[in-house]
Amino acid sequence: MPDHKLISLSDAVRRFARDGMIYASGAALPIGSDAIVFGREMVRQGVRDLHTIFHCNTQQLNLLAANGNATRAECGFSGLEVFGFANGLRRAVETGTMALEDYSNLSIPLRYLGGALNWPFVPATVNIGSDLQDRSAFAPQENPSRSKIAMVTDPFTGRQIGAFRPLQPDVAAIHVTFADPMGNAIMLGTEWSRFELSRAAKRVVLIADAIVDPACIRQYPNLVRIPELVVEAVVYWPFGAWPASSPGMYDVDEEHMRAMNTALGTAEGTADYVRDYVSSWHDIDSWLAMIGHDRLAKLEASTTSFLADPYRKWILTAAEVAAIQAEGGLS
Amino acid sequence: MPDHKLISLSDAVRRFARDGMIYASGAALPIGSDAIVFGREMVRQGVRDLHTIFHCNTQQLNLLAANGNATRAECGFSGLEVFGFANGLRRAVETGTMALEDYSNLSIPLRYLGGALNWPFVPATVNIGSDLQDRSAFAPQENPSRSKIAMVTDPFTGRQIGAFRPLQPDVAAIHVTFADPMGNAIMLGTEWSRFELSRAAKRVVLIADAIVDPACIRQYPNLVRIPELVVEAVVYWPFGAWPASSPGMYDVDEEHMRAMNTALGTAEGTADYVRDYVSSWHDIDSWLAMIGHDRLAKLEASTTSFLADPYRKWILTAAEVAAIQAEGGLS
Amino acid sequence: MSAAATHGAREPEGYTRQEMMAIATGREIKDREIAIFGVGLSMLAGFFAQAHHAPNVRAMTEGGVFGSSPVGGLPWGIECNRISTNATSFTSALDALGCLVGSGRCDVGIIGAAQVDKFGNVNTTGIWDGEIGPTYRAPKTRLTGAGGANDIACGAKRYLIMVAHEPKRFTEKVTYISSPGYLEGGNARARFGFVGGGPSAIVTTLGILRPDPVSKEFALDGWYEFSSADEVVAATGWPLKVRPGAGIVPPPTAGELVSLRRVDETGALRKR
Amino acid sequence: MSAAATHGAREPEGYTRQEMMAIATGREIKDREIAIFGVGLSMLAGFFAQAHHAPNVRAMTEGGVFGSSPVGGLPWGIECNRISTNATSFTSALDALGCLVGSGRCDVGIIGAAQVDKFGNVNTTGIWDGEIGPTYRAPKTRLTGAGGANDIACGAKRYLIMVAHEPKRFTEKVTYISSPGYLEGGNARARFGFVGGGPSAIVTTLGILRPDPVSKEFALDGWYEFSSADEVVAATGWPLKVRPGAGIVPPPTAGELVSLRRVDETGALRKR
């Protein structure tokens, strides 16, 4: 066992990402806690043919779809909330480069739960009776489809209900607010489905806004909803969810949300976006410089900042994190 | 909607307890976070014929069984861990005054989860293939029983697995470390199954070691695993889990655990116990005096105390709680 | 959603059509109810109700944000910082949409629609050229998918549909059912054992539609002071019946507008 | 559990039978494994392994206490303060026993037994006078029930059974199966699709039993320096086979005893 699990972003993608893998992320609603920087790095490294699971679409999936890295997706919601339709996803779906299988915002976490518990199926009292059940983008000939959401008979009453297929993604990149170097993690704001996903996925990589001293973890064990036991690696990456928000740490970057979504609407715009915001940095410092320090300061001035206050004294500096990362670690 | 949900212990039992109800509690392992003071009050008020659900037996069920208040129980574990067999429960089961239906420590929370989600059944990959499935104290003629844990066919593979009956108890008394006057609650230590139970039960009464200012709740919303939305009433009762422990607040009272369990082994001992420890106090002050202030101080000197430190500044004094409780509240 | 103007309707004075729709929706929410709001318009309608006549409504989001009201304007999203600033509890989607909505515990939800049909079935998934056909194919225009609306439609005791009133949105039969209303009408929901009761109203920029108690077909129950029964019928893609007793929905009171605009801090509903 | 002395065995010198059992159990646990320990003896055996040769064992309790080691002596219970003092995470039983054990993710568990039979089935529920019969009836002596042991028995990749070696505890067929071993032997577990592999060893106060790879009947694999094959066979309620290559289990090393006693701060295992 390593004495820490800190790893660079590029190493994390090199180590865990494979062409064709089932990749889960965006483990938050469209606007928050998007582990998108892992997706940016997958674009940089040219990971292909991803079968993605996004509880909700985020800018990460929007980018992976727009750039052609994802050929399949399963989602509960595929917009960008008040930022409108996700243009990259939309273009990929409408042109047929990505098949999108539709679920709902409850069925995806239930399927993660079923994967976490290793059940063969999960009872479904929602999604049945609608085209979420009857139509399948992955099995388009089935009409009505029953391989996507089957029916099962309640043995106690004889009543018919639905049955979901559990999810056990190959890799999940999960954004968290704080992690210690071993991978014990604290999330601020709704968990959305990050708890269930952290148990369902075969391998979990954390993308942490800040690394904290283990003393923080031992002071707040009830906040540690993801223990190191289920974590393979920890990537320290400040503003890793940008342009999404991270409650307690930074607000959503409204301007970039819109500009990015506009860019992803076309192949040319996507190429420009990749050039300017995916390929243009090589480490944390150049990443932060790309966003711009004035903008970072503005985004950090969040009304939610007080939520992070109890933990700030344990946050390690970038230099301290780098020093730990340089020694030992994953073999 | 009331402006607070604080209520006295005796009012809580009067308002929510009914003869014959399905009552869930002991929502922690045998040694910790036992909402036993609610059970003591039910004994005082002579609530009868309880159908109890205790994830694990605790001294509360041990008392309710010994004193004849519970005629049915469903448990995952029915001992007292290192304090041995539960003598009151044992006597009630062996003499036939209480029917005990056996499950496991996973199947009870799964059944709560199924109740919380309002599923007709819950997939079972444990308990099947053993006498937990084949034998039923509630349907003793069935051999093998299939009304307790049925079999169901996975529609995707044709494989047979089990099916649990979900639980939706009429009333749950749940011990928590902190609650605000509206019933937003923080638990320190393992939740055991208190989260699932709080959603499964039709009515939830909190037994809180301390009442905190709502500002504490808004500082730590990720710790508030039981929001007021699912809570009917809040009982402020310091050392409400005694002689069990409450992590962060007090240790287990080893001496009383043993003495109590010895007493509950006989009808006479139980009568003496009820006289001395159930009927002998009439309010919080006389309750604390009964335990003894030296003993309280010793129990409070827990190595876990640091876990409660971040929240102490928001703890309301008994006088402050009484002042809130005296005004408004549940109609 | 300003396309209603193309039907030649008058614009109201002193408030917008969108504000009328939000207020009419909010009026459907009663005090002390457990309620779930989506992002955008439905959240404004819900928090308007809380600010105006339902102070003890117990609202949550799909992500399990409890006890919160938006700070600094309309949230950008359900998990947005504007709604995370003053929450009393953060849990999860499984908790909010599962334990509290899918379970049947939630009293009322509000959802939106790209298309809605006469039985209140909602399409938010895509627009196809014609029927999908026996083999599923991607839509010509991909929309947002179901989100939590399907779960609300299956589980909430009742729910409200908010939608701009345009003929293309009000169709005899939606191409794709993202969230079930009354399906083919009558008792059709019973086939699936849904614990939820179905849509109780469709509140639009022109009026309010409610279901027939037996057939479950939606009919016109009210129009606004700036619209009319004829206008609503003309803007509806199926032969819309008018319920006995249908009439004008009271315009916003001054108090309602004050409350709404306090919630709609950034004026999202005032843009025409 | 001192009844083993009644079989006339020698007492070991410098350590107790219980200590030998805990050490022999702990030796079965490998470094880096995900492990779940019950309270009492099994927790001591597990934390001994961590203290001695498996420093990176990833231990959790049934209640979802992670990253902890006991402080101030043997915990009174799984949720006990002695194990809550230095935890890194507190979650729930559903998480620990469900997501991590029932799922098949946990490498090894340790459970106890009141009765165990030749296929490793465990009874911790009750002692009846004779068979239960076709109609269920309460036991003459009620025990603790299954607890998390059934879940470990179904889900853990393998598990260890720790039990005092007395004839009444080692029976041809247990009266009640609280936690499934190999059921009727052979492939019987496959009928129920258990993800877990079943019991890999029964470690007792007199020796170690392991299952035949095909029949799954437990046979003697080793005895201690203070016991013998004959003694183990005599203390077993079924005709116990002796495996080829069976022999003496190495006695505790000085290092093992130091580690064990550091964990067993209150000397629970030193009481004879």
Side-chain angles (χ1 to χ4, degrees), chain B residues 264-287:
Chain B
L264 299 181
T266 64
E268 305 70 37
T270 301
D272 291 351
Y273 188 85
V274 168
R275 182 193 64 214
D276 295 342
Y277 295 103
V278 175
S279 307
S280 63
W281 41 272
H282 56 280
D283 60 9
I284 293 174
D285 287 344
S286 54
W287 158 260

mmCIF file of all heavy atoms in Angstrom, chain B residues 264-287:
data_model
loop_
_atom_site.group_PDB
_atom_site.id
_atom_site.type_symbol
_atom_site.label_atom_id
_atom_site.label_comp_id
_atom_site.label_asym_id
_atom_site.label_seq_id
_atom_site.Cartn_x
_atom_site.Cartn_y
_atom_site.Cartn_z
ATOM 1 N N LEU B 264 -32.431 -7.811 34.051
ATOM 2 C CA LEU B 264 -33.494 -8.164 33.104
ATOM 3 C C LEU B 264 -33.598 -9.679 32.899
ATOM 4 O O LEU B 264 -34.547 -10.152 32.270
ATOM 5 C CB LEU B 264 -33.258 -7.458 31.755
ATOM 6 C CG LEU B 264 -33.256 -5.921 31.822
ATOM 7 C CD1 LEU B 264 -33.045 -5.336 30.421
ATOM 8 C CD2 LEU B 264 -34.529 -5.360 32.441
ATOM 9 N N GLY B 265 -32.682 -10.436 33.471
ATOM 10 C CA GLY B 265 -32.710 -11.887 33.326
ATOM 11 C C GLY B 265 -33.858 -12.545 34.090
ATOM 12 O O GLY B 265 -34.198 -13.696 33.819
ATOM 13 N N THR B 266 -34.453 -11.833 35.040
ATOM 14 C CA THR B 266 -35.569 -12.399 35.809
ATOM 15 C C THR B 266 -36.704 -11.384 35.882
ATOM 16 O O THR B 266 -36.485 -10.167 35.723
ATOM 17 C CB THR B 266 -35.149 -12.729 37.257
ATOM 18 O OG1 THR B 266 -34.801 -11.499 37.934
ATOM 19 C CG2 THR B 266 -33.960 -13.685 37.295
ATOM 20 N N ALA B 267 -37.905 -11.889 36.155
ATOM 21 C CA ALA B 267 -39.061 -11.006 36.306
ATOM 22 C C ALA B 267 -38.870 -10.075 37.504
ATOM 23 O O ALA B 267 -39.185 -8.878 37.440
ATOM 24 C CB ALA B 267 -40.336 -11.832 36.462
ATOM 25 N N GLU B 268 -38.347 -10.617 38.574
ATOM 26 C CA GLU B 268 -38.152 -9.809 39.785
ATOM 27 C C GLU B 268 -37.114 -8.726 39.514
ATOM 28 O O GLU B 268 -37.300 -7.563 39.879
ATOM 29 C CB GLU B 268 -37.672 -10.678 40.951
ATOM 30 C CG GLU B 268 -38.570 -11.878 41.278
ATOM 31 C CD GLU B 268 -38.537 -12.978 40.212
ATOM 32 O OE1 GLU B 268 -37.461 -13.246 39.628
ATOM 33 O OE2 GLU B 268 -39.626 -13.529 39.900
ATOM 34 N N GLY B 269 -36.020 -9.136 38.906
ATOM 35 C CA GLY B 269 -34.972 -8.172 38.602
ATOM 36 C C GLY B 269 -35.502 -7.071 37.689
ATOM 37 O O GLY B 269 -35.157 -5.888 37.844
ATOM 38 N N THR B 270 -36.342 -7.454 36.755
ATOM 39 C CA THR B 270 -36.903 -6.466 35.836
ATOM 40 C C THR B 270 -37.784 -5.481 36.593
ATOM 41 O O THR B 270 -37.715 -4.258 36.377
ATOM 42 C CB THR B 270 -37.698 -7.176 34.719
ATOM 43 O OG1 THR B 270 -36.826 -8.053 34.018
ATOM 44 C CG2 THR B 270 -38.315 -6.169 33.757
ATOM 45 N N ALA B 271 -38.621 -6.011 37.508
ATOM 46 C CA ALA B 271 -39.479 -5.124 38.302
ATOM 47 C C ALA B 271 -38.629 -4.147 39.106
ATOM 48 O O ALA B 271 -38.927 -2.947 39.199
ATOM 49 C CB ALA B 271 -40.377 -5.951 39.212
ATOM 50 N N ASP B 272 -37.553 -4.659 39.689
ATOM 51 C CA ASP B 272 -36.656 -3.781 40.452
ATOM 52 C C ASP B 272 -36.020 -2.739 39.531
ATOM 53 O O ASP B 272 -35.893 -1.566 39.883
ATOM 54 C CB ASP B 272 -35.544 -4.601 41.117
ATOM 55 C CG ASP B 272 -36.080 -5.478 42.240
ATOM 56 O OD1 ASP B 272 -37.268 -5.318 42.617
ATOM 57 O OD2 ASP B 272 -35.313 -6.332 42.726
ATOM 58 N N TYR B 273 -35.616 -3.189 38.348
ATOM 59 C CA TYR B 273 -34.984 -2.261 37.420
ATOM 60 C C TYR B 273 -35.956 -1.161 37.029
ATOM 61 O O TYR B 273 -35.596 0.030 36.998
ATOM 62 C CB TYR B 273 -34.457 -2.980 36.166
ATOM 63 C CG TYR B 273 -33.643 -2.029 35.314
ATOM 64 C CD1 TYR B 273 -32.293 -1.815 35.583
ATOM 65 C CD2 TYR B 273 -34.248 -1.279 34.307
ATOM 66 C CE1 TYR B 273 -31.562 -0.881 34.855
ATOM 67 C CE2 TYR B 273 -33.518 -0.349 33.572
ATOM 68 C CZ TYR B 273 -32.180 -0.153 33.848
ATOM 69 O OH TYR B 273 -31.458 0.780 33.145
ATOM 70 N N VAL B 274 -37.186 -1.542 36.748
ATOM 71 C CA VAL B 274 -38.186 -0.541 36.362
ATOM 72 C C VAL B 274 -38.414 0.444 37.514
ATOM 73 O O VAL B 274 -38.478 1.665 37.314
ATOM 74 C CB VAL B 274 -39.501 -1.227 35.928
ATOM 75 C CG1 VAL B 274 -40.644 -0.221 35.797
ATOM 76 C CG2 VAL B 274 -39.293 -1.959 34.594
ATOM 77 N N ARG B 275 -38.507 -0.084 38.700
ATOM 78 C CA ARG B 275 -38.694 0.791 39.870
ATOM 79 C C ARG B 275 -37.528 1.790 39.998
ATOM 80 O O ARG B 275 -37.734 2.984 40.182
ATOM 81 C CB ARG B 275 -38.801 -0.077 41.135
ATOM 82 C CG ARG B 275 -39.042 0.722 42.429
ATOM 83 C CD ARG B 275 -38.813 -0.183 43.636
ATOM 84 N NE ARG B 275 -37.407 -0.601 43.677
ATOM 85 C CZ ARG B 275 -36.970 -1.788 44.106
ATOM 86 N NH1 ARG B 275 -37.800 -2.703 44.560
ATOM 87 N NH2 ARG B 275 -35.673 -2.074 44.083
ATOM 88 N N ASP B 276 -36.320 1.253 39.858
ATOM 89 C CA ASP B 276 -35.146 2.083 40.158
ATOM 90 C C ASP B 276 -34.697 2.981 39.006
ATOM 91 O O ASP B 276 -34.131 4.045 39.245
ATOM 92 C CB ASP B 276 -33.971 1.186 40.560
ATOM 93 C CG ASP B 276 -34.245 0.439 41.851
ATOM 94 O OD1 ASP B 276 -35.163 0.855 42.599
ATOM 95 O OD2 ASP B 276 -33.564 -0.573 42.114
ATOM 96 N N TYR B 277 -34.923 2.541 37.777
ATOM 97 C CA TYR B 277 -34.323 3.271 36.652
ATOM 98 C C TYR B 277 -35.315 3.712 35.580
ATOM 99 O O TYR B 277 -34.938 4.315 34.598
ATOM 100 C CB TYR B 277 -33.221 2.414 36.006
ATOM 101 C CG TYR B 277 -32.053 2.173 36.942
ATOM 102 C CD1 TYR B 277 -31.894 0.950 37.578
ATOM 103 C CD2 TYR B 277 -31.132 3.191 37.201
ATOM 104 C CE1 TYR B 277 -30.840 0.729 38.451
ATOM 105 C CE2 TYR B 277 -30.073 2.983 38.077
ATOM 106 C CZ TYR B 277 -29.934 1.750 38.701
ATOM 107 O OH TYR B 277 -28.895 1.541 39.550
ATOM 108 N N VAL B 278 -36.560 3.359 35.754
ATOM 109 C CA VAL B 278 -37.562 3.756 34.761
ATOM 110 C C VAL B 278 -38.619 4.659 35.394
ATOM 111 O O VAL B 278 -39.035 5.660 34.798
ATOM 112 C CB VAL B 278 -38.221 2.499 34.109
ATOM 113 C CG1 VAL B 278 -39.352 2.888 33.171
ATOM 114 C CG2 VAL B 278 -37.168 1.665 33.382
ATOM 115 N N SER B 279 -39.009 4.336 36.611
ATOM 116 C CA SER B 279 -40.084 5.092 37.268
ATOM 117 C C SER B 279 -39.557 6.116 38.272
ATOM 118 O O SER B 279 -40.344 6.848 38.876
ATOM 119 C CB SER B 279 -41.015 4.129 38.023
ATOM 120 O OG SER B 279 -41.463 3.108 37.168
ATOM 121 N N SER B 280 -38.269 6.171 38.450
ATOM 122 C CA SER B 280 -37.720 6.919 39.578
ATOM 123 C C SER B 280 -37.399 8.371 39.262
ATOM 124 O O SER B 280 -36.875 9.079 40.101
ATOM 125 C CB SER B 280 -36.454 6.218 40.065
ATOM 126 O OG SER B 280 -35.482 6.242 39.024
ATOM 127 N N TRP B 281 -37.665 8.816 38.058
ATOM 128 C CA TRP B 281 -37.343 10.186 37.688
ATOM 129 C C TRP B 281 -38.542 10.773 36.962
ATOM 130 O O TRP B 281 -39.406 10.034 36.483
ATOM 131 C CB TRP B 281 -36.089 10.223 36.798
ATOM 132 C CG TRP B 281 -36.057 9.132 35.773
ATOM 133 C CD1 TRP B 281 -35.568 7.882 35.925
ATOM 134 C CD2 TRP B 281 -36.617 9.182 34.432
ATOM 135 N NE1 TRP B 281 -35.771 7.136 34.782
ATOM 136 C CE2 TRP B 281 -36.408 7.901 33.853
ATOM 137 C CE3 TRP B 281 -37.262 10.175 33.693
ATOM 138 C CZ2 TRP B 281 -36.822 7.597 32.564
ATOM 139 C CZ3 TRP B 281 -37.670 9.867 32.403
ATOM 140 C CH2 TRP B 281 -37.459 8.589 31.842
ATOM 141 N N HIS B 282 -38.615 12.071 36.906
ATOM 142 C CA HIS B 282 -39.792 12.693 36.311
ATOM 143 C C HIS B 282 -39.417 13.848 35.383
ATOM 144 O O HIS B 282 -40.271 14.422 34.730
ATOM 145 C CB HIS B 282 -40.751 13.189 37.396
ATOM 146 C CG HIS B 282 -40.096 14.138 38.344
ATOM 147 N ND1 HIS B 282 -39.295 13.719 39.382
ATOM 148 C CD2 HIS B 282 -40.100 15.488 38.397
ATOM 149 C CE1 HIS B 282 -38.829 14.770 40.034
ATOM 150 N NE2 HIS B 282 -39.292 15.849 39.466
ATOM 151 N N ASP B 283 -38.165 14.202 35.350
ATOM 152 C CA ASP B 283 -37.727 15.234 34.402
ATOM 153 C C ASP B 283 -36.222 15.063 34.165
ATOM 154 O O ASP B 283 -35.609 14.135 34.703
ATOM 155 C CB ASP B 283 -38.075 16.635 34.917
ATOM 156 C CG ASP B 283 -37.410 16.934 36.252
ATOM 157 O OD1 ASP B 283 -36.539 16.134 36.697
ATOM 158 O OD2 ASP B 283 -37.758 17.961 36.860
ATOM 159 N N ILE B 284 -35.675 15.946 33.364
ATOM 160 C CA ILE B 284 -34.261 15.789 33.003
ATOM 161 C C ILE B 284 -33.366 15.877 34.229
ATOM 162 O O ILE B 284 -32.421 15.096 34.385
ATOM 163 C CB ILE B 284 -33.860 16.838 31.932
ATOM 164 C CG1 ILE B 284 -34.599 16.532 30.618
ATOM 165 C CG2 ILE B 284 -32.352 16.833 31.702
ATOM 166 C CD1 ILE B 284 -34.398 17.583 29.529
ATOM 167 N N ASP B 285 -33.667 16.803 35.122
ATOM 168 C CA ASP B 285 -32.805 16.962 36.297
ATOM 169 C C ASP B 285 -32.789 15.703 37.168
ATOM 170 O O ASP B 285 -31.723 15.255 37.603
ATOM 171 C CB ASP B 285 -33.254 18.172 37.132
ATOM 172 C CG ASP B 285 -32.889 19.485 36.447
ATOM 173 O OD1 ASP B 285 -32.047 19.468 35.531
ATOM 174 O OD2 ASP B 285 -33.459 20.533 36.830
ATOM 175 N N SER B 286 -34.000 15.169 37.397
ATOM 176 C CA SER B 286 -34.027 13.974 38.251
ATOM 177 C C SER B 286 -33.453 12.755 37.524
ATOM 178 O O SER B 286 -32.914 11.839 38.156
ATOM 179 C CB SER B 286 -35.452 13.700 38.756
ATOM 180 O OG SER B 286 -36.370 13.624 37.682
ATOM 181 N N TRP B 287 -33.557 12.775 36.216
ATOM 182 C CA TRP B 287 -32.910 11.728 35.394
ATOM 183 C C TRP B 287 -31.393 11.767 35.574
ATOM 184 O O TRP B 287 -30.770 10.751 35.852
ATOM 185 C CB TRP B 287 -33.316 11.939 33.939
ATOM 186 C CG TRP B 287 -32.424 11.342 32.892
ATOM 187 C CD1 TRP B 287 -31.466 11.979 32.155
ATOM 188 C CD2 TRP B 287 -32.417 9.977 32.444
ATOM 189 N NE1 TRP B 287 -30.882 11.121 31.276
ATOM 190 C CE2 TRP B 287 -31.438 9.874 31.432
ATOM 191 C CE3 TRP B 287 -33.136 8.840 32.802
ATOM 192 C CZ2 TRP B 287 -31.160 8.677 30.769
ATOM 193 C CZ3 TRP B 287 -32.863 7.642 32.132
ATOM 194 C CH2 TRP B 287 -31.886 7.573 31.137
#
